[in-house]
Amino acid sequence: MVIEGKKTKNSNYIIQVENLSKSFKLKIKEAGLVGSFKSIIKPKYKKVKAVKNISFNVKKGELIAFIGPNGAGKSTTLKMLSGILYPDSGKITILNKNPQKDRKTLSYNFGTVFGQKPQLWFHLPAIDSFNLFAKIYDLDQQEYTKRINYLIKRFEIQDIVKHPVRKLSLGQRMRCEFVLALIHKPKILFLDEPTIGLDVVVKKTIRELIKEINKKEKISVILTSHDMGDVESICERAIIINQGKIIYDGKFKDIKKDYLEKKVISISSETPIKLSIKKGIKNIEKRKFDLKIEVDTKKIAIKKVIDALLKENKINDILIEEAPIEEIIEGIFKKK
């Protein structure tokens, strides 16, 4: 359920956001050379509200998906959480500190992995970047050695850690990026499309490692991703933002229960397939002896459709599936 505007003070929360808003002033430029001159001599601006009075809290060790379409306000919100941007109004408290005023102090508690913005030095071996970050974070040498050995072993990069990053595959590089982000034992891990471009096997491994590190070290993870496989596999809670407003904040598993309106039925039959019911039915794929349909359960009960299929056909096989999570999320956007 949505908790828009809710104000709660609790020591269990590692992040508290109250009534946060942020706007940008964008220059309007007309087309052509004349438009370019006008924009210089007498510029016109419009105000865009990127984030509109949002509130949410994050507990220690939570796995949260912060998702929404492009331009929804995700990046703006995360930049305010990390202290890069200043809000127009509202309050952010992270580990009892203000991220804008205490950005340097809080940076020691943040870890980041960006799928499209590498932090590793491209021409140097990954171990050199690890050693550099250890110096930046002023880590004790003995503790650092113990930590890096553990991470190298856990992420299985023993054989590649001394190779130049430019010679690594994308999957190998992303494992090294995770090690780099976790060197200083951060309390909060920001992940932005961490598995983009990876194959299925590497994605599965990365997802399992994220959950393992979260469980062992109680790191709060905030994930932004358009890959619903990442979101569904990793996160327990979803915060959905659209047009600058939070439209859903609750357990990820409840999204399907609260918003699922469609089911997909696939059947094969010994006889040419018939289905007299038309209301709430959409054909996805239809052949003489095979049928795949989408059923809108708001318009017709799934039991009624199945009864009709069994009565009118000699069924060999039947499969009932839920609509893909991507379609459910898209439906939430459209409703709001």
Side-chain angles (χ1 to χ4, degrees), residues 30 44 62 77 92 107 146 219 253 262 314 323:
E30 296 176 16
K44 293 182 180 180
E62 273 197 285
T77 302
I92 307 172
S107 65
K146 183 179 178 181
I219 297 174
K253 65 180 181 181
K262 297 176 182 177
K314 194 172 182 181

Side-chain angles (χ1 to χ4, degrees), residues 202-232:
V202 177
K203 278 186 179 185
K204 184 175 183 293
T205 301
I206 292 292
R207 291 166 182 169
E208 290 173 351
L209 287 169
I210 291 170
K211 290 190 287 185
E212 180 183 315
I213 292 292
N214 162 263
K215 185 177 181 180
K216 183 172 182 175
E217 302 187 3
K218 299 298 180 184
I219 297 174
S220 298
V221 176
I222 299 179
L223 167 70
T224 62
S225 179
H226 289 98
D227 187 330
M228 288 299 108
D230 282 352
V231 172
E232 198 167 9

